[in-house]
Amino acid sequence: MSYSVLDKNNIPEYLRGIAKVLELLGDSSDLIVDEIGDGNLNFVFRAFCRDDPKKSVILKQSVPYLRVVGDGWPLDKKRIHFEMRALAIYGNLVPGNVPEVYHSDEEMCTLVMEDLRSHKVLRSGMIMNIKYPNVGRSIGTLLAKTLFGTSSFGMGSLDRHKYMEQFVTNDELCKLTEEFVFTYPLMVHSLNYVNPLTEKYANEHLRKDSDYKLGTLKLKETFISDKSALLHGDLHTGSLMANGVDLRVIDTEFACFGPLGFDVGKIIANFLLSYISHYQSPNDEYKEWVLEETFQILNTFSKTFLDLWDKTEESAMFTASLLNSEETKRFKEDYILKILRDSIGFCACFITRRTLGTAGVADIREIEDVVLRSKLEIVSLKLAQTLMSSHGDINSIEEFKNLVSAFFEKTKRENNF
Ligand code: ADP
Ligand code: SR1
Ligand code: MG
């Protein structure tokens, strides 16, 4: 079937042509279709049986433009092919953490998958003060398994190159990241979001902070040149769905090979932005929970990554008895520290990007009181500057924790939160 854009009216007919869907939903039932997408790029629909709404599937289709901007911004619809490929790889590495894919159609640029009805987008849950038990552990484990499992420590060279080949042409989404994350927020740009109350700080402080800008550019160069592991590429709290029992990852279209600290830094940034969004709330318990889970992500990631490494003798990088145990220990410690430092640097870039760029986080961007929103935005930018200026000197997760805690204590006092 050659490509055409699907809508609520023609989706039932399209789905009835898919054997697996007929098996799941039955072939006689009337299908109701709702558009549920809230993302920036694509269209997502839920199709369910009129007489048994629990029987449902999700259909996602990419269109040849960037949804948030409209058809004036062309974007290759092949992006969903990378989402399919990454989901397949994640299906092997973290089988319990992805939705089941029932059908994928490269020509139509569609994915038909399990409806995670009992799950909620993690960002929405965190905005509503919902605590998800062990979410930090689950995220840390997911990061370690996907990043280690596609790194040159976790794979043989030939297999890894086959994986890499599958993602080298995800060029347009990599370019979006290069521009929207590492470039536009540092300048006055028509594609940025503008809160006039925040603009003065952005222009007179952050955008004049040469060390901050140079630090961001170094990390942009790392993103472009370092191909250490398969990244999710857009691992924010809107790409995770939770229900208190398990955690699922969705929306892998930005997948590409890149530096390990990128995915780690992105999710940490989103947790810290969630913490800031709750700043003025009297619910200290929830704020503490967010912060504890943030550090738990890093602790679990490091521990699990090292455990997986200890269990792997042969890989593209290592062969048994190449290094003695002291040398192995030193190599691993240096490498884990490098990931931590990169993660903190990337975290700064993502905080700034979500604060000044077009795609903000609902946690803060949807706060109606513009004065409060601006206060939180300026706190976010100051945190990004603190993290950027210190990331190269951090020596442990504990030091990162102390830095962040001291920053929040000081800022709360200064702002009377
Ligand atoms: P985009 O690529 O446009 O960012 P997403 O993949 O993030 O789209 O999906 C948009 C929204 O659709 C998600 O935030 C979530 O609410 C919903 N969604 C996506 N996949 C599923 C799924 N498998 N089950 C239930 N809801 C889903
Ligand atoms: C204009 S692109 C906006 C952003 O949406 C996605 O979620 C990615 O983060 C991308 O950078
Ligand atoms: Mg997306």
Side-chain angles (χ1 to χ4, degrees), residues 364-371 373:
I364 294 178
R365 194 89 26 115
E366 286 181 6
I367 294 175
E368 278 180 22
D369 175 348
V370 74
V371 176
R373 195 192 324 140

Side-chain angles (χ1 to χ4, degrees), residues 36-42 44 46 58 60 83 99 113-116 121 238 241 250-251 253:
I36 60 160
D38 55 4
N40 293 319
L41 281 87
N42 304 296
V44 180
R46 167 176 288 127
I58 297 293
K60 177 167 179 174
E83 178 155 354
M113 61 186 144
E114 178 183 359
D115 183 3
L116 301 169
V121 171
M241 296 188 70
I250 59 167
D251 201 12
E253 70 193 318

Side-chain angles (χ1 to χ4, degrees), residues 4 103 146 165 168 177 258 268 276 284 289 304 316 331 354 376:
S4 63
H103 179 79
T146 54
E165 259 174 37
V168 274
T177 298
I268 294 293
I276 292 173
D284 286 339
W289 177 81
T304 313
F331 189 96
R354 293 290 178 197
L376 301 183

Side-chain angles (χ1 to χ4, degrees), residues 39-41 66 68-69 73 75 173 176-177 180-181 191 233-236 239 251 253-254 266 350 353-354 358-360:
N40 293 319
L41 281 87
L66 181 62
V68 265
V69 181
W73 187 299
L75 194 65
L173 293 203
L176 272 189
T177 298
F180 280 87
V181 175
L191 286 168
D234 201 19
L235 194 65
H236 50 78
S239 297
D251 201 12
E253 70 193 318
F254 280 81
K266 188 166 229 184
F350 294 125
R353 168 284 154 96
R354 293 290 178 197
T358 184

